Amino acid sequence: MPRTPGPPPAARRRPDAGVRPVLTGAFQHSPVRATAVCLFSVASAASAVALPAVLGHTLDLVLGAHPGLHGALALCAALLLAEVLLDALVALTGGVTTARSTAWLRRRGIDRLMSLAPNRVADRFTPGDLVTRLTGNAADAGTAPTTAATGLAALVTPVGALIALALTDIWLAAVFLAGLPLLTWLLRVFARGSSDSVRRYQRAQADIATRLVEALGGARTIAAAGTAERERARVLAPLPELGAQGRHMWQVYGRAVVGSSILVPLLTTTVLAVGGLRLANGGLSVGELLAASRYAALTAGLGGVMGQLNTLVRSRAAAHRIGELLALPSAAHGSRPLPADGCGRLELRGVTVVRGGAPALRGIDLLVPGGTTMAVVGHSGSGKSLLAAVAGRLTEPDSGQVLLDGVPLDEADPPQLRREIGYAFERPALFGATVGAAIGFGPYEPPAHAIEAAARAAGADSFVRLLPDGYRTPLAGAPLSGGEVQRLGLARAFAHAGRLLILDDATSSLDSVTELHVRRALVHDVRTGSRLLIAHRVSSAARADLVAWMENGRLRAVAPHDRLWADADYRAVFAHTDDSDSRTVA
């Protein structure tokens, strides 16, 4: 099955390539609510536009003692009440729409993040940058449906007021229209000036978040080195850029507001002055002048569109950052089931993986027979862990193919694949409310007796039972050493062992006795299948059925340990190993 292609070159080049799908999707997620916000806000705007004419007519009725006054007063009250209620509905419905759109964007971002190979994410985004995109940027982009819906009403009010002003008195409308081009120019200048600053501001935010996450992750090292002040300066280094872009945004906004604050009163005053002259000449009634003054103020509210425009600019810039994450192609997968009688036969055919523009694995052809334990050894940087990641489909080969029991991994059913490939890491991340839940964390939850059996096999049961509540001890409060965390990671892998179990240097923190116990448990207490061990100790290689010897991203040899031991270069791989351990094995 061919892999999902990446975004086309044009989409990668255009800065707004990912904006439209994100904003369109946010609208489509809550179409009823967004439509309701639009209808409520437009109805509110219509009430606001109708009210001055009714007020003016009522005033004329009062001054002229004409009949129909009570009906006009009731209509004024109804319009005022409708405007208040509709504004409340806009606020309520708009808040719910924004919250739902934001949640939807975050779910989409997290779903895409979880569907990507870990290396694809790490190569493209830092953890702090991802946090910024999925929190602040998603919140900004989530306001787009509500802002656009209310923005339509923000345009309806001044346009409707201008039409009503023209119906009231064409000369007053002409006076106002004379200044409208300048007001429109202010809006255009604001939109152009703020867009770039918003993008730069959001990038600076992400940069600070990235540096802060790095510093928090290395807090003990920073404290031990006494470099807290230096790290603080490094984390806050982008702050001047953040401040500069923030000031620039406010300067652009301030200039636009000042301009509109000067222009709008001038236009309103001019309309009132001309209206007064028209009133003196008998061209307008007192009520019509009142209505015209209100319509002039409402029409000048076109300057208030800048607030809506500012929010849309921020939403658009944030949607671009969310779109960059969503544009990354997910790993291709199929639905082929693995054969029921498969025993974990793993095969790599011409596998090449490129990192940083250079091949990190070069044309690997490797066969792990079903039921075999194979150790992968080599100097640091030889490609051992990358080979394990490819074998377990935690990363995708740039060329070549990986098969498990004859089924290519990119054609296999993903849930079944995760049930049949177990993993244990050198530095496992534990998830779950309790220690027992951390061991049971996986594609399915094993029963309590299976969790305890896996812990015994990993040499973890003894220290878990010494914890205050045993397996029910809250994970966050459990005092665990590095070796104990590693054993819990092993127990988790053993509890979910399938036909292929990959141990990526997962016994490096164990003492020799505990490691030997784990090796024996792999044979006697864990589900039978193939084992791929990333090994640094000579004892681990010696106890494996076969050894795959890696060198500079290539497979130098595959043979039993005792046959390879005659090669001085092979012995040099274990030069760091404790001498007694080497002599014992040899």
Side-chain angles (χ1 to χ4, degrees), residues 143 147-148 150-151 154 186-187 190-191 194 250 253 256-257 260 301-315:
T143 63
T147 304
T150 54
L186 283 174
L187 292 176
F190 170 73
S194 60
W250 282 111
Y253 184 70
V257 169
S260 63
L302 189 63
V305 176
M306 281 188 293
Q308 303 287 92
L309 191 58
N310 183 40
T311 304
L312 282 175
V313 167
R314 291 180 63 86
S315 296

PDB file of all heavy atoms in Angstrom, residues 143 147-148 150-151 154 186-187 190-191 194 250 253 256-257 260 301-315:
ATOM      1  N   THR A 143     -11.617  31.220  18.074  1.00  0.00           N
ATOM      2  CA  THR A 143     -12.537  32.368  18.112  1.00  0.00           C
ATOM      3  C   THR A 143     -13.039  32.748  16.727  1.00  0.00           C
ATOM      4  O   THR A 143     -13.955  33.587  16.621  1.00  0.00           O
ATOM      5  CB  THR A 143     -11.838  33.598  18.728  1.00  0.00           C
ATOM      6  OG1 THR A 143     -10.730  33.980  17.898  1.00  0.00           O
ATOM      7  CG2 THR A 143     -11.341  33.300  20.138  1.00  0.00           C
ATOM      8  N   THR A 147     -16.177  35.238  15.855  1.00  0.00           N
ATOM      9  CA  THR A 147     -15.755  36.575  15.415  1.00  0.00           C
ATOM     10  C   THR A 147     -16.284  36.878  14.023  1.00  0.00           C
ATOM     11  O   THR A 147     -16.735  38.006  13.741  1.00  0.00           O
ATOM     12  CB  THR A 147     -14.223  36.677  15.432  1.00  0.00           C
ATOM     13  OG1 THR A 147     -13.735  36.349  16.742  1.00  0.00           O
ATOM     14  CG2 THR A 147     -13.764  38.082  15.083  1.00  0.00           C
ATOM     15  N   ALA A 148     -16.219  35.900  13.139  1.00  0.00           N
ATOM     16  CA  ALA A 148     -16.730  36.127  11.781  1.00  0.00           C
ATOM     17  C   ALA A 148     -18.238  36.342  11.789  1.00  0.00           C
ATOM     18  O   ALA A 148     -18.762  37.207  11.072  1.00  0.00           O
ATOM     19  CB  ALA A 148     -16.367  34.946  10.888  1.00  0.00           C
ATOM     20  N   THR A 150     -20.155  37.490  14.311  1.00  0.00           N
ATOM     21  CA  THR A 150     -20.465  38.804  14.878  1.00  0.00           C
ATOM     22  C   THR A 150     -19.895  39.924  14.018  1.00  0.00           C
ATOM     23  O   THR A 150     -20.406  41.049  14.036  1.00  0.00           O
ATOM     24  CB  THR A 150     -19.914  38.923  16.308  1.00  0.00           C
ATOM     25  OG1 THR A 150     -18.504  38.621  16.301  1.00  0.00           O
ATOM     26  CG2 THR A 150     -20.623  37.948  17.242  1.00  0.00           C
ATOM     27  N   GLY A 151     -18.826  39.602  13.274  1.00  0.00           N
ATOM     28  CA  GLY A 151     -18.260  40.604  12.370  1.00  0.00           C
ATOM     29  C   GLY A 151     -19.228  40.991  11.272  1.00  0.00           C
ATOM     30  O   GLY A 151     -19.255  42.140  10.822  1.00  0.00           O
ATOM     31  N   ALA A 154     -21.323  43.447  12.756  1.00  0.00           N
ATOM     32  CA  ALA A 154     -20.589  44.697  12.910  1.00  0.00           C
ATOM     33  C   ALA A 154     -20.593  45.498  11.611  1.00  0.00           C
ATOM     34  O   ALA A 154     -20.495  46.735  11.635  1.00  0.00           O
ATOM     35  CB  ALA A 154     -19.162  44.405  13.348  1.00  0.00           C
ATOM     36  N   LEU A 186      -8.117  53.607   6.886  1.00  0.00           N
ATOM     37  CA  LEU A 186      -7.575  53.294   8.203  1.00  0.00           C
ATOM     38  C   LEU A 186      -7.695  51.801   8.512  1.00  0.00           C
ATOM     39  O   LEU A 186      -6.785  51.182   9.057  1.00  0.00           O
ATOM     40  CB  LEU A 186      -8.314  54.105   9.274  1.00  0.00           C
ATOM     41  CG  LEU A 186      -7.945  55.579   9.414  1.00  0.00           C
ATOM     42  CD1 LEU A 186      -8.868  56.256  10.419  1.00  0.00           C
ATOM     43  CD2 LEU A 186      -6.496  55.735   9.840  1.00  0.00           C
ATOM     44  N   LEU A 187      -8.839  51.203   8.138  1.00  0.00           N
ATOM     45  CA  LEU A 187      -9.033  49.770   8.378  1.00  0.00           C
ATOM     46  C   LEU A 187      -8.048  48.936   7.578  1.00  0.00           C
ATOM     47  O   LEU A 187      -7.474  47.961   8.086  1.00  0.00           O
ATOM     48  CB  LEU A 187     -10.469  49.374   8.012  1.00  0.00           C
ATOM     49  CG  LEU A 187     -11.590  49.921   8.907  1.00  0.00           C
ATOM     50  CD1 LEU A 187     -12.940  49.530   8.348  1.00  0.00           C
ATOM     51  CD2 LEU A 187     -11.431  49.403  10.320  1.00  0.00           C
ATOM     52  N   PHE A 190      -4.565  49.124   9.073  1.00  0.00           N
ATOM     53  CA  PHE A 190      -4.491  48.346  10.306  1.00  0.00           C
ATOM     54  C   PHE A 190      -4.339  46.854  10.026  1.00  0.00           C
ATOM     55  O   PHE A 190      -3.516  46.173  10.636  1.00  0.00           O
ATOM     56  CB  PHE A 190      -5.750  48.598  11.136  1.00  0.00           C
ATOM     57  CG  PHE A 190      -5.882  47.664  12.308  1.00  0.00           C
ATOM     58  CD1 PHE A 190      -5.070  47.802  13.414  1.00  0.00           C
ATOM     59  CD2 PHE A 190      -6.803  46.631  12.282  1.00  0.00           C
ATOM     60  CE1 PHE A 190      -5.180  46.932  14.485  1.00  0.00           C
ATOM     61  CE2 PHE A 190      -6.923  45.757  13.339  1.00  0.00           C
ATOM     62  CZ  PHE A 190      -6.105  45.913  14.448  1.00  0.00           C
ATOM     63  N   ALA A 191      -5.131  46.337   9.092  1.00  0.00           N
ATOM     64  CA  ALA A 191      -5.073  44.899   8.781  1.00  0.00           C
ATOM     65  C   ALA A 191      -3.704  44.507   8.248  1.00  0.00           C
ATOM     66  O   ALA A 191      -3.129  43.491   8.641  1.00  0.00           O
ATOM     67  CB  ALA A 191      -6.155  44.545   7.770  1.00  0.00           C
ATOM     68  N   SER A 194      -0.809  44.858  11.146  1.00  0.00           N
ATOM     69  CA  SER A 194      -0.816  43.997  12.321  1.00  0.00           C
ATOM     70  C   SER A 194      -0.594  42.526  11.992  1.00  0.00           C
ATOM     71  O   SER A 194      -0.146  41.763  12.853  1.00  0.00           O
ATOM     72  CB  SER A 194      -2.144  44.145  13.066  1.00  0.00           C
ATOM     73  OG  SER A 194      -3.225  43.782  12.241  1.00  0.00           O
ATOM     74  N   TRP A 250       0.339  47.088  19.151  1.00  0.00           N
ATOM     75  CA  TRP A 250      -0.434  48.116  19.838  1.00  0.00           C
ATOM     76  C   TRP A 250      -0.260  49.481  19.182  1.00  0.00           C
ATOM     77  O   TRP A 250      -1.189  50.303  19.191  1.00  0.00           O
ATOM     78  CB  TRP A 250      -0.041  48.178  21.312  1.00  0.00           C
ATOM     79  CG  TRP A 250      -0.664  47.079  22.102  1.00  0.00           C
ATOM     80  CD1 TRP A 250      -0.039  46.021  22.670  1.00  0.00           C
ATOM     81  CD2 TRP A 250      -2.054  46.922  22.391  1.00  0.00           C
ATOM     82  NE1 TRP A 250      -0.944  45.201  23.295  1.00  0.00           N
ATOM     83  CE2 TRP A 250      -2.196  45.739  23.138  1.00  0.00           C
ATOM     84  CE3 TRP A 250      -3.195  47.667  22.089  1.00  0.00           C
ATOM     85  CZ2 TRP A 250      -3.423  45.280  23.593  1.00  0.00           C
ATOM     86  CZ3 TRP A 250      -4.422  47.216  22.548  1.00  0.00           C
ATOM     87  CH2 TRP A 250      -4.531  46.040  23.286  1.00  0.00           C
ATOM     88  N   TYR A 253      -2.506  49.380  16.171  1.00  0.00           N
ATOM     89  CA  TYR A 253      -3.883  49.469  16.655  1.00  0.00           C
ATOM     90  C   TYR A 253      -4.179  50.863  17.204  1.00  0.00           C
ATOM     91  O   TYR A 253      -5.237  51.448  16.947  1.00  0.00           O
ATOM     92  CB  TYR A 253      -4.108  48.411  17.735  1.00  0.00           C
ATOM     93  CG  TYR A 253      -5.520  48.339  18.246  1.00  0.00           C
ATOM     94  CD1 TYR A 253      -6.541  47.859  17.449  1.00  0.00           C
ATOM     95  CD2 TYR A 253      -5.833  48.758  19.544  1.00  0.00           C
ATOM     96  CE1 TYR A 253      -7.849  47.780  17.909  1.00  0.00           C
ATOM     97  CE2 TYR A 253      -7.132  48.687  20.016  1.00  0.00           C
ATOM     98  CZ  TYR A 253      -8.135  48.205  19.193  1.00  0.00           C
ATOM     99  OH  TYR A 253      -9.423  48.138  19.654  1.00  0.00           O
ATOM    100  N   ALA A 256      -4.592  53.425  14.468  1.00  0.00           N
ATOM    101  CA  ALA A 256      -5.892  53.276  13.814  1.00  0.00           C
ATOM    102  C   ALA A 256      -7.015  53.806  14.696  1.00  0.00           C
ATOM    103  O   ALA A 256      -7.944  54.480  14.228  1.00  0.00           O
ATOM    104  CB  ALA A 256      -6.132  51.803  13.472  1.00  0.00           C
ATOM    105  N   VAL A 257      -6.933  53.511  16.017  1.00  0.00           N
ATOM    106  CA  VAL A 257      -7.967  53.983  16.933  1.00  0.00           C
ATOM    107  C   VAL A 257      -7.944  55.503  17.040  1.00  0.00           C
ATOM    108  O   VAL A 257      -8.991  56.170  17.033  1.00  0.00           O
ATOM    109  CB  VAL A 257      -7.792  53.334  18.324  1.00  0.00           C
ATOM    110  CG1 VAL A 257      -8.684  54.017  19.349  1.00  0.00           C
ATOM    111  CG2 VAL A 257      -8.100  51.850  18.261  1.00  0.00           C
ATOM    112  N   SER A 260      -9.383  56.959  13.875  1.00  0.00           N
ATOM    113  CA  SER A 260     -10.842  56.856  13.832  1.00  0.00           C
ATOM    114  C   SER A 260     -11.484  57.714  14.913  1.00  0.00           C
ATOM    115  O   SER A 260     -12.580  58.248  14.722  1.00  0.00           O
ATOM    116  CB  SER A 260     -11.270  55.393  14.001  1.00  0.00           C
ATOM    117  OG  SER A 260     -10.880  54.898  15.275  1.00  0.00           O
ATOM    118  N   GLY A 301     -19.609  53.776  13.618  1.00  0.00           N
ATOM    119  CA  GLY A 301     -19.174  52.552  14.291  1.00  0.00           C
ATOM    120  C   GLY A 301     -18.414  51.610  13.390  1.00  0.00           C
ATOM    121  O   GLY A 301     -17.951  50.551  13.828  1.00  0.00           O
ATOM    122  N   LEU A 302     -18.268  51.974  12.110  1.00  0.00           N
ATOM    123  CA  LEU A 302     -17.417  51.179  11.224  1.00  0.00           C
ATOM    124  C   LEU A 302     -16.014  51.084  11.786  1.00  0.00           C
ATOM    125  O   LEU A 302     -15.295  50.108  11.573  1.00  0.00           O
ATOM    126  CB  LEU A 302     -17.388  51.817   9.829  1.00  0.00           C
ATOM    127  CG  LEU A 302     -16.735  51.025   8.702  1.00  0.00           C
ATOM    128  CD1 LEU A 302     -17.485  49.732   8.454  1.00  0.00           C
ATOM    129  CD2 LEU A 302     -16.660  51.862   7.435  1.00  0.00           C
ATOM    130  N   GLY A 303     -15.623  52.122  12.551  1.00  0.00           N
ATOM    131  CA  GLY A 303     -14.299  52.055  13.199  1.00  0.00           C
ATOM    132  C   GLY A 303     -14.224  50.941  14.220  1.00  0.00           C
ATOM    133  O   GLY A 303     -13.146  50.424  14.511  1.00  0.00           O
ATOM    134  N   GLY A 304     -15.402  50.557  14.814  1.00  0.00           N
ATOM    135  CA  GLY A 304     -15.399  49.464  15.773  1.00  0.00           C
ATOM    136  C   GLY A 304     -15.115  48.115  15.142  1.00  0.00           C
ATOM    137  O   GLY A 304     -14.838  47.136  15.840  1.00  0.00           O
ATOM    138  N   VAL A 305     -15.202  48.056  13.830  1.00  0.00           N
ATOM    139  CA  VAL A 305     -14.880  46.811  13.124  1.00  0.00           C
ATOM    140  C   VAL A 305     -13.411  46.449  13.321  1.00  0.00           C
ATOM    141  O   VAL A 305     -13.017  45.295  13.171  1.00  0.00           O
ATOM    142  CB  VAL A 305     -15.220  46.955  11.621  1.00  0.00           C
ATOM    143  CG1 VAL A 305     -14.811  45.727  10.829  1.00  0.00           C
ATOM    144  CG2 VAL A 305     -16.708  47.204  11.449  1.00  0.00           C
ATOM    145  N   MET A 306     -12.595  47.444  13.681  1.00  0.00           N
ATOM    146  CA  MET A 306     -11.163  47.169  13.868  1.00  0.00           C
ATOM    147  C   MET A 306     -10.920  46.146  14.961  1.00  0.00           C
ATOM    148  O   MET A 306      -9.992  45.344  14.891  1.00  0.00           O
ATOM    149  CB  MET A 306     -10.419  48.472  14.177  1.00  0.00           C
ATOM    150  CG  MET A 306     -10.148  49.310  12.954  1.00  0.00           C
ATOM    151  SD  MET A 306      -9.094  50.717  13.300  1.00  0.00           S
ATOM    152  CE  MET A 306     -10.170  51.687  14.338  1.00  0.00           C
ATOM    153  N   GLY A 307     -11.753  46.193  16.022  1.00  0.00           N
ATOM    154  CA  GLY A 307     -11.601  45.188  17.070  1.00  0.00           C
ATOM    155  C   GLY A 307     -11.860  43.787  16.548  1.00  0.00           C
ATOM    156  O   GLY A 307     -11.111  42.848  16.840  1.00  0.00           O
ATOM    157  N   GLN A 308     -12.928  43.643  15.757  1.00  0.00           N
ATOM    158  CA  GLN A 308     -13.232  42.348  15.139  1.00  0.00           C
ATOM    159  C   GLN A 308     -12.121  41.944  14.175  1.00  0.00           C
ATOM    160  O   GLN A 308     -11.714  40.781  14.120  1.00  0.00           O
ATOM    161  CB  GLN A 308     -14.555  42.435  14.365  1.00  0.00           C
ATOM    162  CG  GLN A 308     -15.746  42.875  15.191  1.00  0.00           C
ATOM    163  CD  GLN A 308     -16.191  41.779  16.131  1.00  0.00           C
ATOM    164  OE1 GLN A 308     -15.748  41.729  17.277  1.00  0.00           O
ATOM    165  NE2 GLN A 308     -17.039  40.897  15.660  1.00  0.00           N
ATOM    166  N   LEU A 309     -11.634  42.918  13.422  1.00  0.00           N
ATOM    167  CA  LEU A 309     -10.579  42.636  12.457  1.00  0.00           C
ATOM    168  C   LEU A 309      -9.302  42.192  13.158  1.00  0.00           C
ATOM    169  O   LEU A 309      -8.604  41.283  12.697  1.00  0.00           O
ATOM    170  CB  LEU A 309     -10.321  43.895  11.607  1.00  0.00           C
ATOM    171  CG  LEU A 309      -9.440  43.736  10.376  1.00  0.00           C
ATOM    172  CD1 LEU A 309     -10.033  42.703   9.432  1.00  0.00           C
ATOM    173  CD2 LEU A 309      -9.294  45.075   9.669  1.00  0.00           C
ATOM    174  N   ASN A 310      -9.007  42.823  14.291  1.00  0.00           N
ATOM    175  CA  ASN A 310      -7.816  42.441  15.055  1.00  0.00           C
ATOM    176  C   ASN A 310      -7.922  40.993  15.517  1.00  0.00           C
ATOM    177  O   ASN A 310      -6.957  40.222  15.430  1.00  0.00           O
ATOM    178  CB  ASN A 310      -7.656  43.380  16.250  1.00  0.00           C
ATOM    179  CG  ASN A 310      -6.406  43.080  17.051  1.00  0.00           C
ATOM    180  OD1 ASN A 310      -5.359  42.792  16.491  1.00  0.00           O
ATOM    181  ND2 ASN A 310      -6.517  43.139  18.367  1.00  0.00           N
ATOM    182  N   THR A 311      -9.096  40.605  15.996  1.00  0.00           N
ATOM    183  CA  THR A 311      -9.291  39.220  16.441  1.00  0.00           C
ATOM    184  C   THR A 311      -9.167  38.245  15.278  1.00  0.00           C
ATOM    185  O   THR A 311      -8.579  37.156  15.419  1.00  0.00           O
ATOM    186  CB  THR A 311     -10.671  39.067  17.098  1.00  0.00           C
ATOM    187  OG1 THR A 311     -10.786  40.013  18.166  1.00  0.00           O
ATOM    188  CG2 THR A 311     -10.859  37.670  17.662  1.00  0.00           C
ATOM    189  N   LEU A 312      -9.713  38.605  14.115  1.00  0.00           N
ATOM    190  CA  LEU A 312      -9.607  37.733  12.949  1.00  0.00           C
ATOM    191  C   LEU A 312      -8.167  37.595  12.477  1.00  0.00           C
ATOM    192  O   LEU A 312      -7.746  36.523  12.033  1.00  0.00           O
ATOM    193  CB  LEU A 312     -10.482  38.269  11.819  1.00  0.00           C
ATOM    194  CG  LEU A 312     -11.979  37.991  11.921  1.00  0.00           C
ATOM    195  CD1 LEU A 312     -12.733  38.676  10.793  1.00  0.00           C
ATOM    196  CD2 LEU A 312     -12.250  36.483  11.919  1.00  0.00           C
ATOM    197  N   VAL A 313      -7.392  38.689  12.568  1.00  0.00           N
ATOM    198  CA  VAL A 313      -5.974  38.615  12.184  1.00  0.00           C
ATOM    199  C   VAL A 313      -5.236  37.637  13.085  1.00  0.00           C
ATOM    200  O   VAL A 313      -4.442  36.806  12.627  1.00  0.00           O
ATOM    201  CB  VAL A 313      -5.339  40.020  12.239  1.00  0.00           C
ATOM    202  CG1 VAL A 313      -3.821  39.926  12.159  1.00  0.00           C
ATOM    203  CG2 VAL A 313      -5.853  40.885  11.096  1.00  0.00           C
ATOM    204  N   ARG A 314      -5.491  37.716  14.391  1.00  0.00           N
ATOM    205  CA  ARG A 314      -4.861  36.780  15.340  1.00  0.00           C
ATOM    206  C   ARG A 314      -5.326  35.347  15.055  1.00  0.00           C
ATOM    207  O   ARG A 314      -4.526  34.408  15.110  1.00  0.00           O
ATOM    208  CB  ARG A 314      -5.194  37.165  16.771  1.00  0.00           C
ATOM    209  CG  ARG A 314      -4.551  38.463  17.234  1.00  0.00           C
ATOM    210  CD  ARG A 314      -4.938  38.767  18.679  1.00  0.00           C
ATOM    211  NE  ARG A 314      -4.439  37.741  19.570  1.00  0.00           N
ATOM    212  CZ  ARG A 314      -3.227  37.736  20.107  1.00  0.00           C
ATOM    213  NH1 ARG A 314      -2.373  38.702  19.813  1.00  0.00           N
ATOM    214  NH2 ARG A 314      -2.855  36.780  20.927  1.00  0.00           N
ATOM    215  N   SER A 315      -6.624  35.182  14.751  1.00  0.00           N
ATOM    216  CA  SER A 315      -7.137  33.841  14.457  1.00  0.00           C
ATOM    217  C   SER A 315      -6.474  33.266  13.210  1.00  0.00           C
ATOM    218  O   SER A 315      -6.126  32.080  13.171  1.00  0.00           O
ATOM    219  CB  SER A 315      -8.654  33.895  14.252  1.00  0.00           C
ATOM    220  OG  SER A 315      -9.309  34.297  15.423  1.00  0.00           O
TER     221      SER A 315
END
